[in-house]
Amino acid sequence: MIGSSPRDPLAFLADDLAALREAGLYRPLRVMSSAQGPIVSIDRKRAISLASNDYLGLTHHPRVREAALAAVRDFGAGSGAVRTIAGTMTLHEDLESELAAFKGVEAVLTFQSGFSANTGLIPTITGEHDLIVSDALNHASIIDAMRLSKAPRKVYPHGDVNALRAILDEAAAKGRPNGGGAYRLILVVTDGVFSMDGDIAPLPGIVDAAEAAGAAVMVDDAHASGVLGRNGRGSVDHFGLHGRVAIQVGTLSKAVGVLGGYVAGSQDLRDLLTQRSRPFLFSTSHPPAVAAACSAAIKVMQDEPELIERLWANTRRFKAELARLGFDTGRSETPITPVMMGDARTAGRFSDRLLQLGVFAQPVVYPTVALDKARLRTIVTAAHTDELLDTCLAAFDSIGREMGLIGG
Ligand code: PMP
């Protein structure tokens, strides 16, 4: 064996990468050397960003920054442990009380991210005696959370309330298979705003169908927080469904501008999660700066309603202009505006050309969306000026013509 090198057990990784590149599905990470905002520095080049989820521009809001700095000064850089050991600080408890008041619920528990809120919630409150009923386009974190649960699940076609009703009525009437009796819990799970298409869940119909079958509803408002409802309270507030949606999940990483997720609902729900939820029990809590900055952001959302007004004015204008140019923006109803491109290579080329013209918008390709549904995902924020949007639209127009996608 002298001189012969051992076989590399990870050699398949290179093959997998080559296959991704061959299919046009490999996207290099773009490196941002500026703060997040409407204008960023990408790969050391100035660009107008249409790529962030920073809906209200709070990532760089002065009050949010100040709160983070003050927390570092007063409480240090890290929390030091998981919440159950020594990592629960007044900053965490205060943030949760503020969020509970904001959402109009009894209690809130925060998690390290929206992803961990879902994976910390769903497997904890569901088991083999329960049924989860999920929209086909729910977020990856919900899908992973369901995989971690022992509960069986059924998936209904995206937004199809009639199909949901049929599943729920059958589940309520027949109960568990093989004479196992009634389900302990039937949990209907939906995104509030769908993150790749920007459409809003038909929540009133979902709630009616759930109530008729004695099921509970959980809505993941990651992209509705800060966007829908009074001061950005989310989809439940938007539809006037307070008291009829048992669980709201939110993220602190998008419109709130910082990082984290939360579960909003009853005191019993919060108390049980503090005892059993694995990301809560086994992963360290937010650093003081994160909790303090989130609190400040929730206050800004209530004190400065002009931000959400500006977000929606920009959204309406950008969508209307893209449609006028001849682009297909799918079924979006919110600031998430997909610009449909079809195949992954076209989406990749369009994105690269945009960056050359100083506009940053990322392609979204398989497996995040179906193979033939590649798109550019754009989000305008409250921080974009009319002039910045003019520049973006001019770039879309010229590249669209150059690539023969519009103006034919
Ligand atoms: N749920 C939904 C519906 C989302 O869109 C996202 C983020 N893409 C998440 C959860 C995860 O949130 P976070 O980034 O805070 O982990």
Side-chain angles (χ1 to χ4, degrees):
M1 292 299 286
I2 293 169
S4 74
S5 51
R7 191 184 70 88
D8 175 4
L10 294 182
F12 67 92
L13 296 178
D15 299 339
D16 288 357
L17 280 169
L20 284 177
R21 290 199 173 93
E22 179 67 23
L25 295 176
Y26 183 86
R27 295 296 303 168
L29 296 177
R30 299 287 192 192
V31 181
M32 189 166 69
S33 51
S34 63
Q36 186 58 271
I39 300 175
V40 292
S41 178
I42 293 293
D43 295 343
R44 311 232 158 251
K45 193 169 173 295
R46 178 192 185 276
I48 304 168
S49 175
L50 298 175
S52 83
N53 297 316
D54 183 18
Y55 290 103
L56 301 174
L58 298 191
T59 55
H60 49 282
H61 190 289
R63 281 172 65 188
V64 179
R65 289 180 184 220
E66 271 314 312
L69 288 169
V72 170
R73 271 195 304 269
D74 296 344
F75 293 97
S79 71
V82 301
R83 295 268 302 259
T84 46
I85 296 179
T88 296
M89 306 177 91
T90 48
L91 290 170
H92 298 124
E93 297 279 319
D94 291 348
L95 171 61
E96 288 166 346
S97 305
E98 286 152 16
L99 280 169
F102 182 64
K103 298 291 281 186
V105 297
E106 264 178 32
V108 161
L109 191 69
T110 51
F111 286 80
Q112 299 82 352
S113 69
F115 201 106
S116 60
N118 279 329
T119 53
L121 168 72
I122 292 175
T124 308
I125 62 159
T126 59
E128 54 207 1
H129 304 290
D130 307 313
L131 176 69
I132 306 173
V133 188
S134 169
D135 186 287
L137 292 189
N138 275 344
H139 187 254
S141 54
I142 293 177
I143 295 169
D144 285 8
M146 291 192 299
R147 288 182 180 143
L148 288 169
S149 168
K150 292 200 174 68
R153 56 182 176 269
K154 293 203 154 101
V155 175
Y156 61 95
H158 176 56
D160 187 341
V161 172
N162 288 331
L164 168 65
R165 195 184 300 275
I167 293 174
L168 290 176
D169 289 349
E170 189 186 334
K174 289 200 184 146
R176 299 168 61 211
N178 307 323
Y183 288 104
R184 181 185 67 168
L185 166 69
I186 303 175
L187 183 67
V188 182
V189 182
T190 180
D191 284 14
V193 169
F194 288 85
S195 56
M196 290 302 140
D197 291 285
D199 54 330
I200 303 173
L203 210 51
I206 292 173
V207 168
D208 284 345
E211 284 175 350
V217 175
M218 179 213 126
V219 60
D220 177 350
D221 257 351
H223 283 284
S225 311
V227 175
L228 293 182
R230 290 166 303 139
N231 301 89
R233 283 175 168 77
S235 61
V236 171
D237 192 75
H238 171 76
F239 285 116
L241 292 169
H242 288 284
R244 298 178 65 194
V245 172
I247 306 173
Q248 300 175 61
V249 169
T251 175
L252 302 164
S253 328
K254 303 186 195 301
V256 178
V258 193
L259 175 73
Y262 60 91
V263 175
S266 69
Q267 187 66 47
D268 281 349
L269 177 66
R270 180 184 193 271
D271 290 348
L272 186 84
L273 293 174
T274 63
Q275 305 305 302
R276 286 281 175 268
S277 175
R278 293 171 72 83
F280 184 83
L281 295 174
F282 295 110
S283 183
T284 297
S285 57
H286 280 148
V290 168
C294 289
S295 283
I298 299 295
K299 291 192 190 88
V300 170
M301 282 159 63
Q302 294 169 85
D303 295 346
E304 300 183 25
E306 58 275 16
L307 292 175
I308 199 168
E309 282 157 23
R310 176 77 199 180
L311 168 70
W312 278 98
N314 281 349
T315 297
R316 280 189 287 273
R317 174 170 176 232
F318 193 64
K319 277 190 192 323
E321 296 280 328
L322 282 175
R324 195 181 55 77
L325 291 175
F327 286 103
D328 172 7
T329 58
R331 55 182 171 232
S332 170
E333 305 164 79
T334 66
I336 298 173
T337 302
V339 185
M340 306 310 270
M341 297 275 149
D343 71 287
R345 277 177 211 288
T346 308
R349 256 194 315 136
F350 203 106
S351 170
D352 291 344
R353 281 290 291 130
L354 272 179
L355 196 55
Q356 285 164 0
L357 299 191
V359 178
F360 179 42
Q362 289 278 39
V364 180
V365 301
Y366 181 81
T368 308
V369 294
L371 263 178
D372 61 341
K373 294 269 191 299
R375 67 206 51 190
L376 288 191
R377 183 165 178 276
T378 69
I379 293 185
V380 294
T381 73
H384 287 88
T385 61
D386 286 336
E387 296 70 41
L388 292 178
L389 294 185
D390 288 342
T391 308
C392 294
L393 289 161
F396 270 86
D397 188 21
S398 95
I399 300 167
R401 284 169 198 283
E402 170 189 306
M403 288 177 57
L405 299 172
I406 55 167

